[in-house]
Amino acid sequence: MSRFSFNQITAKHWELTEMVKGLVDAGVDKVALWREPVAEYGLERSAALVRDAGLSVTTLCRSGFFQLDGWFDENRRAIDEAFELKTRVLVLVSGGLPEGSKDIAGARAHVADAIAQLVPHAAAAGVTLAIEPLHPMYAADRCVINTWDQAMAIAEQHPVGQVGVTVDTYHLWWDDTVLPKIEAAGERIAIYQLADWITPLPAGVLTGRGLPGEGCVDMRAFHAAVEKAGYTGPIEVEVMNEQLWQRPGPEILADTLAGYQSI
């Protein structure tokens, strides 16, 4: 429990003030916030709300999407938001191919260049840019960074603490080479996130995640790998699932905690 963090997207429709109260009532003191609901409630109000409740913000999700016009200014805003919320980690989802493009190598090179342009602003704010490799099925439209090696190749161009990598079990479980690489990553691990892989995948595939223990991911193997890496930070549960979202927030939190504690 001391490392558990509830990712806001897991209960997407749980209103922010009610979620904060529910976390406090359940004895949870860590939360990962998403930019859209924070903006809806108000950045300064959100920061005050979690601070006054005694919650620490483990990450801000998410920025990146470097294929879009205006990516530079948008990502600088996201860094400023992370600073306001007093979180050290901003999760980056790189974005997919530019419209009409088939040049995935060029898109990946652009991601590396874009992150390099953002590092000075992030470093000044004390915010680590956490590159998240997403499962290859998202390469075209959502994330051209799909493997641990691709993410690490970018991160290692910068000092530890400025650019790191997100370990998300949902996106990495399929890779039979990834566990020893995680073990060797050391301080490059910026955040560790849990979600299970369940089938059949829904239309659009984005909302097909399960709570820990509901699918086929060997969570204990990932736990062992991040522990060997020396990672002692928060462990977020981040699940996107339409059926789960239809349930009351307190029930989602209770089942999330149960899944987390079962592995």
Side-chain angles (χ1 to χ4, degrees):
M1 278 293 291
S2 65
R3 298 174 67 185
F4 173 79
S5 177
F6 185 73
N7 192 294
Q8 186 175 18
I9 201 66
T10 305
K12 181 179 180 180
H13 304 302
W14 202 5
E15 193 271 331
L16 182 59
T17 58
E18 292 300 314
M19 182 191 72
V20 167
K21 181 180 182 302
L23 293 176
V24 172
D25 289 346
V28 175
D29 63 0
K30 297 177 181 63
V31 65
L33 296 176
W34 277 61
R35 295 183 66 205
E36 293 82 359
V38 164
E40 183 178 347
Y41 188 74
L43 177 60
E44 292 184 2
R45 291 180 68 206
S46 298
L49 178 67
V50 295
R51 181 184 65 244
D52 293 347
L55 298 178
S56 61
V57 181
T58 53
T59 61
L60 180 62
C61 300
R62 54 191 164 48
S63 196
F65 296 97
F66 299 115
Q67 85 279 20
L68 300 177
D69 292 340
W71 65 263
F72 182 73
D73 291 339
E74 183 62 25
N75 278 274
R76 282 174 61 93
R77 278 192 291 272
I79 292 166
D80 293 341
E81 292 164 14
F83 176 80
E84 180 73 22
L85 293 165
K86 300 188 184 304
T87 180
R88 291 186 56 256
V89 179
L90 174 65
V91 176
L92 296 183
V93 174
S94 71
L97 291 169
E99 186 174 357
S101 174
K102 298 181 180 180
D103 183 8
I104 194 167
R108 287 171 177 152
H110 171 63
V111 171
D113 180 65
I115 289 173
Q117 292 184 53
L118 293 170
V119 163
H121 189 64
V127 173
T128 299
L129 303 176
I131 305 167
E132 182 169 10
L134 265 61
H135 190 281
M137 66 181 173
Y138 296 108
D141 63 342
R142 187 163 295 271
C143 189
V144 295
I145 303 301
N146 308 114
T147 67
W148 183 262
D149 288 345
Q150 290 165 0
M152 282 291 286
I154 298 172
E156 288 177 337
Q157 297 176 33
H158 307 281
V160 169
Q162 294 183 8
V163 183
V165 181
T166 301
V167 177
D168 187 319
T169 59
Y170 180 78
H171 293 299
L172 296 173
W173 75 276
W174 58 275
D175 185 348
D176 63 347
T177 72
V178 77
L179 293 177
K181 293 172 182 177
I182 291 173
E183 292 176 10
E187 294 180 47
R188 286 292 175 186
I189 299 174
I191 189 64
Y192 175 33
Q193 297 178 330
L194 306 182
D196 221 329
W197 183 280
I198 55 177
T199 53
L201 295 175
V205 305
L206 183 62
T207 57
R209 304 186 188 197
L211 292 171
E214 291 184 339
C216 59
V217 177
D218 186 349
M219 299 286 180
R220 293 181 180 178
F222 274 91
H223 280 2
V226 297
E227 291 295 322
K228 287 182 180 178
Y231 179 80
T232 58
I235 303 172
E236 296 179 2
V237 178
E238 182 193 53
V239 175
M240 303 175 192
N241 185 294
E242 292 283 356
Q243 292 182 323
L244 185 67
W245 287 343
Q246 302 310 309
R247 297 170 54 195
E251 288 186 14
I252 297 173
L253 175 59
D255 282 355
T256 301
L257 282 167
Y260 171 81
Q261 292 171 321
S262 71
I263 57 176

